[in-house]
Amino acid sequence: MKLVTAIIKPHQLDEVKEALEAYGISGMTVSEVSGYGRQRGHSEVYRGAEYTVDFVPKVRVEVLVDDIDATSVADVILKAAQTGRIGDGKIWTVPVDDVVRVRTGERGVDAL
Amino acid sequence: MNALTLAAADTPFIDSGNTAWVLAAAALVLFMTPGLALFYGGMVRTKSVLNMMMMSFISMGTVGTVWILWGYSEAFGPDVGGGLIGNPFTHFGLKGVLDAIYGFVPATKTAAAAGGIPGPAFVAFQVVFAIIAVALVSGAIADRAKFTAWTVFTVVWATLVYFPAAHWVFAFSGYAAQTGGWIANKAGGMFLGGAGAYDFAGGTAIHINAGAAGLALALVLGKRIGFAKEPMRPHNLTLVMIGAGILWFGWFGFNAGSALGAGAQAAGVWVNTLAATCTAMLGWLLVEKLRDGHFTSLGAASGIVAGLVAITPACATVSPIGALIVGLAAGAGCALAVGLKFRFGFDDSLDVVGVHLVGGLIGTLLIGLLATKGSPTGAAGLTVNEGLFYGGGLSQLGAQALGAFSVLIFSFVVTYLIGLAIHKTMGFRVDEADEAQGVDLSEHAETAYDLSGLSGGRFGSGSAVTTTASAKTKEGAPA
């Protein structure tokens, strides 16, 4: 099993969610996060004093998938989240040892 | 015993129109202090907004109280010498004021006062000035002052600095006081011969005074942790915009109410107040666009306040065109001045110096250039000493400078001493940990917003129990 994590622009969330649902993914975890990449943040000016805001708001989407779906899911997210403008985010995939569904105690692929 | 008796000889009468306007204006001006709380509150960080707002609100409590006890008498009681201060005991507790009538056109030896206003209406109008003057100072020490120390400061500063300054500027002989203040009165045997400076609604008594006091306190307390290194951006500019709007609204009472009657002068002053504020906003925004590349909302709000400050002393003695000039100069001048704190390294957190001291000086000094008979005061049939641009020479400019810098120096020196005395005894500044965590929590045991969802006790059944337990202990303690 794999955990696919994507950091995306907040306003791309709906598109990513719909694309994943269309692909057949039944659940995901979404959290509000902030951070910066190569483009850094932006600057704001208050009474002439300039402040650099490094951490820009992003959304983190996490999806647990079977090994064979991992690459496709990453591609689905990529397609849905891409605007081509700076700050579109990152997607990465890491292996997961075990998954348990809390309600039933099912393990592994059955729990996905 | 004071002006009322002067008027009494000529059967004074209460003019209901004048009284209605002055009472309404007093309420408008009182509303400025909560407006200031929003204006200042929005400019600080999330962790200290309640403390910032409370510093304004507490001024209503303390200054309102001492005004009734001795403040009114100190400002408008019979002069105890040299036009420097009124006798605080004569009208202690407003003794002898409730049934008085104040003539809004000064009584002279040959003419009686025209339709007057009841003494309490004048008391009400002037106390709201005292309250906001004190509250203004708090902007210089945002995020780091002990609330108790600030509360003590409001009483001491009002008593030793504001009430005397108000006497200098607002107490006219035979008008509201038997013998008035040295800046207000025209030459004629007063202290320094009577400055005869114009300050219609308190540019020196309130804004230069509060600005100089803010500078003194900022120096006593020192810089905030992380000043000029960490971003300390305003946490809620919508509050700032609402506050600026309320200040503009209330300021019509501040300036036009200072005519103490509903007539030509008040109406002209109203228009001048509008005019200057409009160009001041434009002036500030223009500087920003050229310097920083953007028209900012904080700039618009700040420009509004800068214009209101500058037109306050000048609103009755300049023409509407003069008011446009005063506003433009103040908007642009203050926008350039707010950067001074970074250059000189003092932490006047919310720019009390850059906006109120600089704006007050611009307005007060420009009277020396722009005073004209074609002003609301001239239109009301009263004499105006014309300024330099109207062929009046340098004498009025000299009088304005004397008044302005006297208040500036007096306020700075006395405030510095008061601040230092409080700092050395009870301590004026919170400790480092409290400042880092935010003074809302350390000074008031409150926080303004629950933004995280994690701090509201959703995971905190344990902490909720602790809270209840400590609250019980506290309740039990006084018994």
Side-chain angles (χ1 to χ4, degrees):
Chain A
M1 288 156 298
K2 293 273 196 291
L3 171 67
V4 181
T5 303
I7 305 289
I8 59 170
K9 284 184 170 165
H11 61 265
Q12 295 302 114
L13 177 61
D14 274 347
E15 282 186 43
V16 169
K17 189 182 126 231
E18 279 160 25
L20 285 172
E21 274 170 1
Y23 179 81
I25 295 294
S26 54
M28 69 193 70
T29 304
V30 174
S31 36
E32 290 175 25
V33 293
S34 52
Y36 62 86
R38 273 184 299 178
Q39 91 281 6
R40 307 292 289 194
H42 59 267
S43 60
E44 297 176 8
V45 186
Y46 298 98
R47 281 183 175 168
E50 193 169 315
Y51 298 115
T52 309
V53 179
D54 280 338
F55 300 108
V56 286
K58 296 283 172 190
V59 166
R60 178 171 58 202
V61 180
E62 289 165 306
V63 193
L64 279 167
V65 293
D66 198 355
D67 287 347
I68 49 163
D69 288 326
T71 319
S72 321
V73 164
D75 285 344
V76 167
I77 296 176
L78 173 67
K79 234 171 141 189
Q82 199 170 53
T83 67
R85 300 185 63 186
I86 213 157
D88 267 355
K90 296 258 190 304
I91 304 167
W92 63 85
T93 306
V94 290
V96 173
D97 289 342
D98 200 5
V99 181
V100 185
R101 175 169 284 125
V102 174
R103 175 168 57 85
T104 58
E106 291 163 286
R107 287 183 174 269
V109 180
D110 293 340
L112 291 177
Chain B
M1 65 199 170
N2 51 31
L4 7 162
T5 25
L6 293 175
D10 301 292
T11 54
F13 64 98
I14 287 177
D15 183 306
S16 59
N18 291 344
T19 306
W21 168 234
V22 172
L23 287 175
L28 283 173
V29 181
L30 182 66
F31 192 41
M32 290 169 70
T33 299
L36 182 77
L38 289 168
F39 182 69
Y40 277 178
M43 273 193 279
V44 296
R45 290 165 290 175
T46 317
K47 60 186 182 178
S48 53
V49 50
L50 293 175
N51 174 259
M52 198 66 242
M53 297 181 93
M54 274 296 282
M55 286 203 279
S56 286
F57 272 79
I58 196 67
S59 306
M60 295 198 276
T62 52
V63 180
T65 302
V66 298
W67 178 258
I68 287 169
L69 292 176
W70 63 80
Y72 172 79
S73 194
E74 227 189 297
F76 295 102
D79 193 76
V80 293
L84 291 175
I85 193 168
N87 187 333
F89 306 108
T90 313
H91 298 301
F92 190 89
L94 300 184
K95 187 176 55 178
V97 176
L98 295 183
D99 57 350
I101 299 171
Y102 290 177
F104 93 91
V105 171
T108 64
K109 281 176 189 156
T110 51
I117 58 171
F122 185 69
V123 170
F125 186 66
Q126 288 291 340
V127 66
V128 289
F129 279 60
I131 287 168
I132 196 163
V134 176
L136 285 174
V137 181
S138 66
I141 54 166
D143 298 345
R144 60 197 188 283
K146 279 188 187 165
F147 188 67
T148 324
W150 167 255
T151 305
V152 170
F153 176 82
T154 61
V155 173
V156 180
W157 191 78
T159 304
L160 298 183
V161 181
Y162 180 76
F163 300 149
H167 179 76
W168 297 1
V169 172
F170 296 133
F172 291 87
S173 295
Y175 186 62
Q178 190 172 34
T179 315
W182 71 273
I183 292 179
N185 283 300
K186 306 291 168 277
M190 304 293 296
F191 177 67
L192 295 173
Y198 293 121
D199 180 3
F200 191 68
T204 47
I206 290 156
H207 298 289
I208 292 177
N209 195 354
L215 178 60
L217 276 200
L219 293 176
V220 170
L221 268 75
K223 301 173 208 174
R224 285 168 291 178
I225 300 170
F227 172 71
K229 292 185 201 100
E230 291 170 20
M232 296 182 179
R233 56 192 174 130
H235 88 285
N236 189 337
L237 286 175
T238 53
L239 290 188
V240 174
M241 297 300 267
I242 296 168
I246 292 174
L247 284 169
W248 197 346
F249 172 72
W251 224 295
F252 287 113
F254 201 93
N255 286 359
S258 291
L260 296 182
Q265 196 186 29
V269 163
W270 198 107
V271 171
N272 279 354
T273 302
L274 178 82
T277 314
C278 295
T279 48
M281 176 163 58
L282 300 181
W284 191 301
L285 287 174
L286 191 67
V287 167
E288 280 195 333
K289 181 67 181 170
L290 296 174
R291 186 183 59 189
D292 314 317
H294 299 279
F295 300 114
T296 72
S297 59
L298 181 59
S302 311
I304 286 169
V305 175
L308 289 163
V309 166
I311 199 59
T312 292
C315 56
T317 44
V318 300
S319 69
I321 294 284
L324 293 175
I325 296 169
V326 169
L328 194 64
C334 293
L336 295 168
V338 292
L340 294 179
K341 62 179 178 183
F342 297 110
R343 193 165 305 169
F344 294 122
F346 62 88
D347 186 6
D348 165 21
S349 325
L350 309 184
D351 299 307
V352 184
V353 177
V355 175
H356 293 276
L357 179 57
V358 173
L361 282 172
I362 289 174
T364 302
L365 296 176
L366 279 181
I367 296 171
L369 306 179
L370 295 169
T372 168
K373 292 188 176 72
S375 63
T377 301
L382 302 166
T383 351
V384 180
N385 294 335
E386 300 209 299
L388 188 64
F389 290 175
Y390 291 86
L394 285 166
S395 64
Q396 193 57 38
L397 185 61
Q400 297 304 126
L402 176 66
F405 288 101
S406 306
V407 172
L408 198 168
I409 293 162
F410 168 74
S411 175
F412 180 83
V413 171
V414 180
T415 308
Y416 194 85
L417 295 175
I418 295 169
L420 209 58
I422 292 176
H423 199 51
K424 296 283 179 205
T425 51
M426 60 193 299
F428 215 136
R429 188 167 175 161
V430 296
D431 66 39
E432 233 171 88
D434 289 339
E435 188 182 330
Q437 177 196 47
V439 281
D440 280 1
L441 203 53
S442 73
E443 298 302 293
H444 307 288
E446 294 172 306
T447 48
Y449 311 101
D450 177 9
L451 298 172
S452 68
L454 296 177
S455 62
R458 265 180 237 180
F459 302 101
S461 61
S463 69
V465 170
T466 321
T467 313
T468 320
S470 68
K472 273 182 186 159
T473 322
K474 271 189 185 166
E475 273 171 27

